[in-house]
Structures are given as C-alpha cells and as structure tokens.
Amino acid sequence: MGSKFEGFKGCFSMSINNTDSLQRLRNTNDRRILLDTKIAKGTATRLDMMTQLKAELQIFDAFLKNIESKKKAKDCCAVINIVVSTLIKRINNMWNTIFLLFTIDDDIEPKFMKVSNSIVMTSCTNCRSCDVTIESIMRNIEILSIQEDTVFNFSSSDFIKILQTTAFVDKTLMIKEVFCHKETKGIVITAPRKYGKSTNLTMLKCFLEIQVDSLGKPLTKAKTDKPVTDTSNYEVFKKLNISKESSIMEKYLGKYPVLYANCQIENDIISYDCVLDGCKEIIHKSFLLHSYLQKSSKLSIQQKKLCKLWCDDASYKKLMKKEDISSGLKLLCTYLTVHYDKTCFVLIDEIDFFTQTVTITETLLKDYKLIILFLRQFLSFLKSNNLVFKAFATGKSGYAIHSIVPSCVQIQPFYNLHKFTDFYGLTDDELEYLFNKPEFKHISMTIKEVKDYYGSYNKIDHLTTTKKEIYCIWSILNVLKCKRLDNYWRDFGNVFCNFSNPIIKDVMQKLLIDEFVMVVLYHKAARKTNPTPPPIIAASGTPTKKSLDYFFNLMLDLGYLTRNSTSIMVLDIFNNTGSCMGYVTIPNQEVGHDIENKISLLS
C-alpha cells in the first residue's frame, strides 16, 4: 500500500508510492496554510508569495513528469491527475492574490514559470478517469497567459495601458463630473480594492497635464486661451466619450500642471518613523515626474538645488527634519505654480495608506496621534488657493481620511450614492456591454448567472431613497478571462482577525444565512481636533457599541457588506449624531465565501 496523503484538506485523499513527492506535498501544504493566514491578516510579503508560488509550480512540474512516466509504464495516473487539478486551482488562486496585493511587473513571470517543455502527452488510455492531457492542463494554468495584454491587463492600473485592452470600459465622463463641482475645492472618493481608483486617477492626470519637453517647455503650440489639439493626450481622448463634451475638452485638456502623488509604498508601516520615511519616498517619486524643474529658468538657484535634492535617489533619504518632509508636496506644488504661472491640479492616490485601519498594528496605535497630526500638516497645502486649483484623491476608508484632510475637501464614501458612483465598479449596462462584445461571446455562463453569483453593491441615497447597483470590476474581468465562476476578489488585513471575536463571528454567520443586521452608518464624520485611534476589538469579550459601529462601517468601506436593497436608511435623530441607520447584508456569494474562509483561518 502507498502512503496516505491528506494534506490538501477538503480537496482529496489519495495514495502515492513516491515518498519524496508525498513529503514535498505535505511540506508545501503546511507552508501554504501558514501563508494563507498571513495573507488574510495582510502581513504576507511579495517574497513570501512568490516563494510559495515557485514551490507549487515546481511540484506541478514534477507531477507532470510522473504522469508521463506512468503513461509509459501503462500504469493508471488518475490519482496524480487529481493532484495536478488541485495544484492548478491553488496556483491560479495564488497568482490572482499576488495581483490583488502587489503591483506586478509585466515581465516577472518567466522567472517563476518553468514547467517542462519536453512533455508531450495525449490522453491516458489505461482508464477513462485519466482522460486529461498535458495540453489541457497547461491551458488551465492562468499564469501562462498573463501577457495577453491586448484583451486584459491585470498587471497595471495605468489608464493608457488599460485603454489598449479589449476589456476597456470608457469612464471618461467622470472628468466632466469633476468640473461640475466648481464649489468644491477637493474631493476624496473611497472604494474597495480593485474598483478602478488608480486607473481613474491616471486618466485624470493624462487628461489635465500640460505636456512638456525635457526642459519643461509646453509641447503644444496652442495659445493659452485656445484648445489643445496637437499633443498626445488629445489623441488619447479625441475618440472617447469625454470628447463629446466640447467645453470640457477646450477648457481643461492639457491645461494644468499636475502634482500626482501615489501614497502606496511596499515597506511595512509599523511606526511614526516609517511614515516619515514613506512620505519622503512619495515626495521623491512626485518630484521625479517633474525633473525638468532642476533646469527651470523661472526658479531660483536655491529652488533648483532643492529640486535636485528631492530627485536624487540617495540625497532625499538623508533629509531628517520633520519640517522638510511635511512641506515636501507643498514645495513641489509651489515650484510647479511658479514654473507654469498657474495653480496646480493635485491628484493623490491611496491618500489613507498610512492610516488604513485595515492593517493597523498595536505598535502603530501608540504613534497614531503623531501620525495623524503629521499627515494633516503634510496635506494642509490642499486648502491654498494660491497653489491648488482643485484636488482629487482616492482612498479605502473614510474613518482616518476625515482626520487628515482639510475641511474644504469633501469625502464621498463607497456605500453612499453620489455623483461618482457609476465610475467605480461596473454598472448593469457596463456589465452587459462587456458580455455582449463579440470577443466574449464564447463565455458559457449567462449574464444572469454572473449577476446571481457576484451580486451587486447597493448604493442608496438616504434622503431620496434612490438606488443603484454596482459590480466589482475585478471579479467580472476575471470571469471573462477564466471563463468560469470563481472567487477572484478579496481584501486583506488584521482587521479581519476581529472575526475571532464571538460576538462579531455570530453576527457574520447570521449575515451568511441572509439575515439582516441594523447598523449605524457614519454619515458625516466630524474632523477631530484630537484624533483618536480606531477602537481595537479583543478576541474575547463583548465589544463596545462604538467598536461595533466602527467595525461594520469599515466592512462597508472594504466591500464586505452592502446596504440591504429593500431597507430605507433613517437619520439617527435621537442621538443627534449626523449619522443614519439601516440594514446591511453580504453583497454576494464571492464575498460570502471569503468571509467563511477568513472565519475558518482566523478564528
């Protein structure tokens, strides 16, 4: 009898005579369980995941060779086919998770995907259950088709790259909406992971920025009061939906200096000092986008020296004074205003990265007030009419954003129905548009089946009771690519460790069986003079009402809950909180499966 292997819990049990293969599977499976827990907590690194992916690919390669060996020996390979099938699912899941968590370079996968090319096999003729070919197995490994950028591009959130794909959905009318809010100095849109935040922001950047040569001289020959029609950004937008809005095109396309800052960095944020280092990196990258300022004839010698310092890959790291760091983006905004003699349009991605309560640690909580006060100073330039024409930013959770942005910046939370709702995620019409494209006609499942599985997020205006449904764009694009219903989307962070609390676990399990839960929603979170850290929920005991309110609002921000479509939100007038109350539910089966998995992993 062969050795019994039960490593892939819930997947299969089997007998294998090859002890080495068995032990490798066991070891890999043990590491995968530990890694899955780290992923759920948001503590897994890119190296952790790539190492595990490589290990599973190597085992996959070994088992393909075993199939070939058994075929030559005219031995049944049904059991190994089951192993390979399970490995395929695990590898695909890991690859998808890597794309969810990290920015992946387009050329990274050849280092990890080294499956033998010498194996040529038809189907196993020894038994019907072995009717699996190497070719069909390889087709199911999604990592191999990652470079199909003409149809999908999961490795980038850059608007220009996404525009070149078949699955592109035109959301350029969002630009019009930005300028419809003339009375608003700044706007922050919150939305869960992979809902198009970064793509929309790079779209705005591409539309607005004055295109220049290496010396910072505008490329357009158009005069200041004339529309720009002779630059590459005009070529990009002239056939898109926004081109029909002639007044927007003429007045704003290619007309503004743009300060673009991406606040997401790869280093772990575990202390106040880490935040300072992270902000230095953000300022450095933002200055690099305008390296021509080092030669600007409109800046003083001292100003150009400071530009050079922030652009240099080594020099900026030596800056230690808090004042130099907190004024970094303001400095860049000032120099751009001087160079162009025009106020800037400021775009900030992941504005709440340093205060995201999804991954906040106990160590970071000790420095929370210091961090919030520093970030307020870091972003205080946004209220300057002399430097900033308008600001547009994105984030995930409104809790901390209210504490760090000036009061002139308006926050639009994901769970509310607002003017930008249609541009983050997919609307009903957009989902149907994609599935009706000729390139995707071969998809076997119906639109109804897709909608039933992936559900929708209900956006409700609590005053007018107007409702709208939004779908997760990441999930839908993966369905089109992989041609099957599966669980593609999830989020990560130690906030999910709260599922181990008996009270929260009980509530989530009630939601999993379609019961509704009444929650208080933060409708207008007041900007706190003395910022308080988010409440921590103990693994045992009864959470405070404040803690529960915070937790469920965070779940709404992250896309793990949505408003119940049949319930009407009511203002909490009794407690005079400026909040509203209503029922919430789990949005769809995909999210429900991830909640079940996290409860199992983290409880």
Side-chain angles (χ1 to χ4, degrees):
M1 289 293 291
S3 303
K4 187 74 178 288
F5 174 74
E6 297 178 332
F8 294 359
K9 293 182 180 178
C11 295
F12 60 88
S13 60
M14 65 181 211
S15 296
I16 296 180
N17 290 318
N18 189 324
T19 306
D20 289 341
S21 297
L22 172 62
Q23 191 58 48
R24 287 179 69 187
L25 275 173
R26 280 183 174 146
N27 292 342
T28 301
N29 192 65
D30 290 343
R31 289 194 299 269
R32 179 64 178 262
I33 292 170
L34 292 173
L35 181 58
D36 283 345
T37 303
K38 290 178 70 176
I39 290 170
K41 292 180 178 180
T43 58
T45 65
R46 184 203 295 249
L47 181 61
D48 290 336
M49 299 184 72
M50 286 299 192
T51 300
Q52 181 70 20
L53 178 63
K54 185 174 182 179
E56 297 199 8
L57 284 169
Q58 288 172 342
I59 292 177
F60 173 76
D61 191 22
F63 273 92
L64 289 185
K65 292 175 182 176
N66 282 344
I67 291 176
E68 177 66 5
S69 174
K70 282 181 173 288
K71 176 180 175 288
K72 288 178 179 178
K74 296 185 178 181
D75 193 5
C76 177
C77 52
V79 170
I80 295 181
N81 280 338
I82 296 173
V83 181
V84 169
S85 177
T86 302
L87 279 168
I88 288 172
K89 292 178 182 177
R90 288 161 60 99
I91 290 167
N92 287 341
N93 177 272
M94 178 67 72
W95 192 236
N96 180 66
T97 302
I98 289 171
F99 272 83
L100 275 170
L101 269 174
F102 304 107
T103 300
I104 302 297
D105 298 328
D106 292 337
D107 60 349
I108 198 168
E109 80 284 351
K111 303 174 188 175
F112 298 94
M113 189 61 196
K114 294 184 178 178
V115 178
S116 298
N117 295 321
S118 59
I119 302 174
V120 179
M121 176 183 172
T122 57
S123 60
C124 173
T125 57
N126 300 304
C127 62
R128 291 182 179 180
S129 60
C130 294
D131 190 20
V132 177
T133 67
I134 294 296
E135 289 81 1
S136 67
I137 290 171
M138 299 297 280
R139 280 198 300 270
N140 285 324
I141 292 286
E142 289 155 14
I143 189 173
L144 287 175
S145 58
I146 199 62
Q147 289 186 325
E148 295 176 5
D149 288 349
T150 56
V151 182
F152 306 96
N153 191 334
F154 292 105
S155 65
S156 177
S157 57
D158 182 76
F159 170 72
I160 296 299
K161 292 182 179 179
I162 302 298
L163 175 62
Q164 297 166 9
T165 64
T166 305
F168 170 73
V169 176
D170 190 337
K171 290 183 177 286
T172 55
L173 286 178
M174 188 190 90
I175 298 166
K176 176 185 176 182
E177 200 60 51
V178 170
F179 293 104
C180 286
H181 296 256
K182 293 182 179 179
E183 73 288 349
T184 306
K185 180 73 173 178
I187 297 171
V188 179
I189 304 293
T190 69
R193 184 187 295 273
K194 298 298 181 182
Y195 269 73
K197 299 189 296 295
S198 298
T199 301
N200 284 344
L201 213 63
T202 55
M203 173 185 72
L204 272 174
K205 177 179 179 292
C206 181
F207 184 88
L208 294 165
E209 66 184 351
I210 299 170
Q211 295 196 310
V212 297
D213 61 19
S214 60
L215 297 175
K217 182 180 178 181
L219 295 176
T220 181
K221 293 182 173 60
K223 294 182 179 180
T224 306
D225 59 341
K226 298 295 182 181
V228 173
T229 58
D230 57 350
T231 59
S232 61
N233 49 356
Y234 173 77
E235 293 298 318
V236 166
F237 289 96
K238 71 178 183 180
K239 293 182 180 179
L240 299 177
N241 289 342
I242 191 62
S243 64
K244 299 171 186 176
E245 303 294 331
S246 56
S247 61
I248 299 292
M249 292 284 287
E250 292 171 6
K251 191 173 181 180
Y252 299 110
L253 187 142
K255 294 284 189 176
Y256 283 89
V258 174
L259 190 164
Y260 175 83
N262 187 341
C263 294
Q264 185 170 7
I265 62 172
E266 288 199 14
N267 295 336
D268 291 335
I269 305 300
I270 58 174
S271 68
Y272 175 65
D273 288 338
C274 291
V275 171
L276 296 183
D277 288 340
C279 286
K280 285 194 285 187
E281 183 180 332
I282 292 163
I283 299 164
H284 167 63
K285 290 179 178 178
S286 296
F287 261 94
L288 282 177
L289 296 175
H290 304 280
S291 57
Y292 56 83
L293 290 174
Q294 299 173 73
K295 302 176 182 178
S296 173
S297 60
K298 296 184 180 181
L299 299 184
S300 68
I301 294 175
Q302 180 60 26
Q303 288 173 329
K304 285 187 278 190
K305 282 184 179 179
L306 283 172
C307 288
K308 184 177 181 179
L309 184 151
W310 277 111
C311 286
D312 186 79
D313 290 339
S315 298
Y316 82 91
K317 296 178 182 178
K318 299 175 183 177
L319 288 168
M320 301 303 293
K321 290 183 179 179
K322 185 191 77 171
E323 294 75 16
D324 292 335
I325 305 168
S326 64
S327 62
L329 289 183
K330 180 181 179 180
L331 198 70
L332 175 56
C333 199
T334 301
Y335 294 168
L336 288 171
T337 300
V338 171
H339 180 81
Y340 290 100
D341 193 24
K342 193 169 189 175
T343 53
C344 290
F345 207 111
V346 179
L347 303 175
I348 303 178
D349 202 7
E350 302 283 357
I351 195 170
D352 60 339
F353 180 78
F354 295 115
T355 54
Q356 273 181 18
T357 48
V358 180
T359 55
I360 201 161
T361 62
E362 288 189 18
T363 308
L364 201 58
L365 282 175
K366 296 176 182 177
D367 293 340
Y368 192 80
K369 287 186 179 181
L370 280 176
I371 292 169
I372 293 293
L373 293 172
F374 170 79
L375 291 174
R376 280 186 189 174
Q377 192 174 357
F378 186 62
L379 298 171
S380 62
F381 75 100
L382 295 177
K383 61 188 175 185
S384 171
N385 292 324
N386 295 325
L387 298 177
V388 179
F389 169 65
K390 192 179 278 287
F392 196 93
T394 66
K396 287 175 72 175
S397 173
Y399 183 87
I401 295 176
H402 279 284
S403 296
I404 62 176
V405 296
S407 57
C408 60
V409 176
Q410 183 184 94
I411 299 171
Q412 298 286 9
F414 176 67
Y415 53 78
N416 272 357
L417 178 64
H418 50 73
K419 297 293 185 181
F420 294 94
T421 290
D422 286 358
F423 306 113
Y424 293 87
L426 289 175
T427 64
D428 254 323
D429 290 343
E430 289 168 341
L431 187 150
E432 293 184 13
Y433 158 77
L434 282 174
F435 274 82
N436 288 325
K437 285 179 74 73
E439 295 87 348
F440 303 129
K441 284 290 186 182
H442 58 280
I443 303 295
S444 60
M445 70 282 296
T446 65
I447 293 176
K448 183 180 183 304
E449 288 174 324
V450 172
K451 288 183 177 181
D452 286 345
Y453 192 84
Y454 295 99
S456 63
Y457 292 83
N458 299 309
K459 307 299 190 76
I460 305 174
D461 187 315
H462 70 275
L463 294 176
T464 65
T465 68
T466 305
K467 301 174 184 178
K468 179 160 286 191
E469 296 180 342
I470 294 293
Y471 296 85
C472 176
I473 191 168
W474 177 264
S475 301
I476 302 305
L477 292 182
N478 271 282
V479 170
L480 292 172
K481 180 180 186 296
C482 303
K483 307 178 186 65
R484 68 176 188 276
L485 301 180
D486 208 335
N487 305 319
Y488 302 106
W489 180 91
R490 66 191 70 87
D491 207 336
F492 319 89
N494 59 15
V495 66
F496 295 107
C497 293
N498 290 323
F499 287 166
S500 63
N501 179 278
I503 303 295
I504 289 181
K505 182 178 179 180
D506 181 61
V507 172
M508 298 309 294
Q509 287 175 332
K510 286 180 179 178
L511 287 166
L512 284 169
I513 58 174
D514 294 330
E515 291 188 25
F516 300 145
V517 174
M518 174 74 79
V519 301
V520 174
L521 299 176
Y522 299 147
H523 179 50
K524 291 183 179 178
R527 188 172 185 270
K528 303 174 182 66
T529 304
N530 295 306
T532 55
I536 297 297
I537 299 173
S540 59
T542 303
T544 64
K545 183 179 182 303
K546 180 181 177 182
S547 297
L548 287 174
D549 287 345
Y550 156 74
F551 176 77
F552 288 120
N553 275 268
L554 187 55
M555 290 296 102
L556 280 160
D557 281 336
L558 299 180
Y560 276 78
L561 294 176
T562 188
R563 297 182 180 186
N564 174 249
S565 60
T566 60
S567 71
I568 298 175
M569 311 306 291
V570 294
L571 287 175
D572 185 14
I573 56 176
F574 299 105
N575 296 315
N576 194 28
T577 61
S579 300
C580 53
M581 302 175 67
Y583 288 105
V584 296
T585 186
I586 293 171
N588 54 52
Q589 294 182 55
E590 180 183 45
V591 175
H593 289 151
D594 189 50
I595 290 173
E596 289 175 335
N597 183 53
K598 282 183 166 63
I599 289 174
S600 174
L601 278 172
L602 302 174
S603 292

